[in-house]
Amino acid sequence: MRSHPDNEVRPPLLRTKFFIPKPSQPIVTRSHLVTLLNRSIELPLIVISAPAGFGKTTLVSEWIRNINLPTTWLSLDHGDDDPSCFFSYLIGALQQVNKSIGREIEDVLGSGQLPPVPFITGSLINDMLAADTPFILVLDDFQEIQDPVIFEVLETMLANPPKQLHLVLITREDPLLPLGRLRANNQMAEIRASDLRFSEAEADRFLNGIMGLALSEDDIAALENRTEGWVAGIQLAAIAMCGRTDLSGFISRLSGSHRFIFSYLTEEVLSRQPEDIQMFLLQTSVLGKLCAELCNAVTGHNNSQALLEKCVHANLFLVPLDDEGRWYRYHHLFRDLLLTQRSRKPQQDAIELHRRASRWYEGSGMIAESIEHTLVAADYRHAVQLLEDHARAMIMQGYLKTVEGWMQAIPSEWQSRNPRANLAFAWMHLMRGSYNSVAPYLKQAEEAISQIDPDDRARKPLRAEWLSLQSTLLNVQGQAEQSVGLAKQALQLTDTEHYHVKSLAYAALGGGYRLTGDYAGSVKAYQQSIQNSRVSRNILVEMVSVSGLMVMAIQHGQLHIAYEAGSQALERLERGGAINLPITGIVYACMGAVCYEWNQLERAFSYLSRGIQLSTLSGHNAVAVYSKSLLAHVSQAQGDTQATARTSQEAVDLLPLGLPAWIKPIIAAHLVRYYLGMGNATIAKEALNQLGISIPEGPMLSEPFNLPDPLTQQDGLKSII
C-alpha cells in the first residue's frame, strides 16, 4: 500500500484470504467435473453453486492445482460485505497475479474514499487488459456478498469482460447477477449440486478405497441413497463408522434431511472422540479462524497445536488456510453444529470465550476481529473503547459501512460515551462536503466530552478537536468571527504533541482569517497547519491548507507563488506514492486556475479535468463546482461551445448540494461572467440565487462581476512554501 493518512495503523490484508485451500479430506478425483472446468476456462464466468457440504471448494482447488494458469483465490466472510473492504481485498488478490492491477483504486481506497462504480470498473478493466497473460480469480463463499455496489461492479465487468480474466464464483446460493443473460450468451458455465453428488462408484472409491471400510455394494447403495450423494454426509458417516462392527445396522438407522443426518453424525463423531478433543472442538467453535496461539488463549491451555494436528489426522473437517499449517477454519456446517452443541452449555461460558478471543486479537493488532468478538460478548464498554481508539483510522481508510454496523450494534446509552468515534464521523462528513450531516455528530461528541472528568488528560485534546471541527463548520457557513474565536480556543487547549488537533485548528483559523480579510494571519495559520499535518501524516488537512494558500495567491495576482506551492505539494505526494488521493483534486483545480490565467489552455484543461475526477471520488462538491466553472471558461476559449454549455450546466446543477461561504463569490464570478458573456442574464441570475447571493433588479446584472480587490500587502503570500 502507498502512503495515506494514518497508514501506520492500517489493518494489513490477511494473506490467508489469498490462499488456495487444501482439501479437508482425502480426495476422490472428479475427472468428469475437472474436464468440464477445463472446457469452460475460456468463458468469463464459472459458477459453482450448491449447498454446504457438496465439495465445491475441494473440487475447484483440485482443478486449479493441475491447471497451467496463474490463479488467485479470495476467501470471503461476512465482514467483507463492505465495498471498501471487499475492493481492498479484491485488489490484494489481483495483485497476487499482477502487481500493476488496481493501483489507482488502491490509492483512492487508501485515502478513505469509495470510488464511483464507473471509476472502479473502468480502472480494473483497463488494468486487466494491459496484463500480459490470462489468469483465474476465485471468489470463495461468495454468498456472503450482498452489497449492491459490489454486484454492480461485477455485473459491469462481466458485461465488458477483459479476455485476461476468468472469474470463478463458489457459492451456496445463486449470486444477484444476470445469470440468465450470461447463460443465453454462452458467457458462463455452471456446476450445481446435482453435478457434485457422489455417484455410487465415487462413494465406493471413497468409503472402501480411501477410508478402508470394506462395505458391501448394498451398504454403499443404501448410504448413497440416504445421503443423496451428499459429500459431507458420506464423509461424516465414514468417520463415524471407523471402529464399528455393525456397519449395515448403522447405515440403516440413518434417515431424515441432510441437516438431521449431519446433526446425528456430528453427535456420533463427537461422542467417539477423546474428552480433550471434544472440549477443544466445542470451545474453539466460537472462532471463525483458528491458529494454535489463538486457541491457547481461548481454551486456557497450551497444547492447541497438538490438538489441531490430531483433528486434522482424524479428518474432523478442518480446512487449512496456509501452507505452513498455522491457520485453519472449520467446515461451515461442522462449525454450525458445534455451535449448536455449544449453545447447550451455560451462556456465560461462551461470553468468556469471546472475551478471550477479543483480547488475543487486540493484542495481535487485528482490531476488526477483536471488535466482532467483543460485540458478541456484549462487552460494550470495551467495544466503545476499541472504537474510540480505532474508528478514526478505519473511517479514514473507507470502512464506513463496517464501523456504522458496529455502532448500530451498541445500545444507544453506550454510543453517547463515544466522543472519538463521533468526532471521526463529523470529520468525515466535513471533508466530503456533507455539511448538514456534521452537526449531529458534533452534538453527540460534545455531550460525551462534557461527561469526562475535567482532570482527565484525554478531555483537553478531545475538546480542542471538537472546537476545531465546530470552527471549520462555522467557517464554511460564513460565520468568520465565531470561527476564528473557536479555533483560537482550540489552540489554547493543545499541547506540543497534539499535532493532529493542531493541524485541524490552524486550518480552521486560516479559513476564518481569510474570511475576515486578515490575509497575513491566514497565511501564517495555514503554514502552521501544513507543518503539523506533515508530522501527523494528515494529508487531507495538508492539502486543504495548501489549496487555501493557493486560492488567496490566485485571487491577488500571485500566480507564480500559487503554482510553485501546488507543484511542490504534488511532487511531495508523488514521491510518497499518494498522488492519486482524492483530496488532491483541490490542488489540481487550483493549478488549472493558474494555467488558465496564463492562457495555457491545454494544461489548464488537463489539471481541471483531473480536479473534477478526483473531487467526484471524494464527494468534495466545492472542488467539483470550482473546477467545472473554470473548465467552462477553458472550453469557451478553445471554441468548444458544446463542452462549454455542458460543463457550465453541470456546475450549476451541483450548486444546491452546498458550498462553503468563502468560495461562493469565486464561483459566482466564474459562472456569471460566462453566462453574461453568452448573453443569458436569466441563467446568471438563477445561479446567483442558488448561491444565496441577491442582487437588485435592473441594469446592474449586465455589469462586470469582479473578484475582490488585490492585496495591498502581499509579503505574507511570498512565504507560502
Side-chain angles (χ1 to χ4, degrees), residues 286 342 345-355 376-377:
V286 303
R342 171 76 257 169
K345 303 290 184 181
Q347 184 181 9
Q348 192 58 39
D349 291 352
I351 289 175
E352 179 57 28
L353 294 174
H354 283 290
R355 283 177 173 166
V376 174

Side-chain angles (χ1 to χ4, degrees), residues 460-461 464-465 468 489-496 498 501-502 505:
K460 283 177 58 179
E465 184 169 352
S468 301
Q489 289 182 44
L491 289 169
Q492 290 172 358
L493 292 175
T494 57
D495 294 328
T496 304
H498 295 154
V501 180
K502 287 196 293 185

Side-chain angles (χ1 to χ4, degrees), residues 390-410:
H390 302 285
R392 177 193 293 158
M394 297 196 74
I395 288 171
M396 296 291 282
Q397 294 151 18
Y399 299 110
L400 176 59
K401 180 178 178 181
T402 298
V403 176
E404 282 184 328
W406 291 334
M407 293 189 71
Q408 291 169 2
I410 297 174

Side-chain angles (χ1 to χ4, degrees), residues 23-29 58 198 206 210-211 235 315:
S24 59
Q25 72 276 337
I27 290 178
V28 172
T29 301
T58 299
F198 268 7
F206 178 74
I210 293 176
M211 300 301 291
Q235 182 187 357
N315 292 320

